[in-house]
Amino acid sequence: SREKLPYFTFRGEEFFRADPDSSGSRYFQYIYKGEVRVFARKRKQLNHVTTAERAIDRFDEYDDHYILKDGEITRVSGKGSVLKLFRDDKEELKKLMQREDLSYKRDPEKFLRRCAAHYDESRRK
């Protein structure tokens, strides 16, 4: 039987298994590690696309993002869910998003990394 790694690093990125004791292979990528943690589950799916001229197979990538805060894991899917999770820092986060032109849709990992870091910094004050 093949042993599955509990975590590994690839090209400078850190990945970990959600449940090291399970037989599944659900690995997550750390996006940010601080007081709060941000991670992503990256999946590739084979999709068969048919047009009038031809049929093609392609792999599409899907990312699910999660934040671990106060011992609870929450799946986030955009600006609104992040602001709801960090509601006690909501107004400052909105200013940060505007000042740095952060967009979840355009670059979710940068968006989440900056919001989590800002939240951590504000908790230390």
Side-chain angles (χ1 to χ4, degrees):
S1 77
R2 294 186 339 196
E3 192 172 321
K4 297 199 187 315
L5 298 171
Y7 64 90
F8 65 93
T9 302
F10 179 71
R11 294 185 178 170
E13 300 291 337
E14 190 176 348
F15 296 81
F16 67 96
R17 289 213 18 186
D19 183 359
D21 298 326
S22 77
S23 61
S25 60
R26 292 181 52 169
Y27 284 96
F28 292 80
Q29 177 185 359
Y30 272 117
I31 305 300
Y32 174 82
K33 286 172 75 173
E35 287 298 313
V36 296
R37 305 229 171 170
V38 180
F39 47 97
R41 179 170 177 240
K42 298 179 178 271
R43 300 174 285 130
K44 293 200 185 303
Q45 181 175 320
L46 177 63
N47 289 317
H48 185 74
V49 180
T50 306
T51 64
E53 300 85 41
R54 62 187 174 147
I56 57 170
D57 289 328
R58 69 173 191 224
F59 281 98
D60 293 322
E61 187 172 309
Y62 300 94
D63 295 352
D64 296 319
H65 296 99
Y66 301 87
I67 295 177
L68 172 63
K69 176 182 173 270
D70 301 328
E72 289 191 31
I73 296 172
T74 304
R75 182 172 183 262
V76 292
S77 56
K79 176 181 173 179
S81 57
V82 172
L83 289 172
K84 184 177 179 184
L85 186 63
F86 295 139
R87 63 180 135 309
D88 47 334
D89 199 32
K90 184 178 180 176
E91 294 310 313
E92 287 300 314
L93 280 174
K94 283 182 176 180
K95 290 176 189 172
L96 174 77
M97 290 172 194
Q98 188 168 16
R99 187 171 60 245
E100 296 188 14
D101 191 29
L102 298 173
S103 166
Y104 183 90
K105 288 181 182 173
R106 192 170 54 240
D107 189 344
E109 292 179 9
K110 178 182 177 184
F111 179 91
L112 293 169
R113 192 178 300 113
R114 287 297 297 127
C115 289
H118 186 276
Y119 184 81
D120 275 352
E121 289 164 19
S122 70
R123 300 288 65 91
R124 286 189 215 114
K125 294 179 182 175

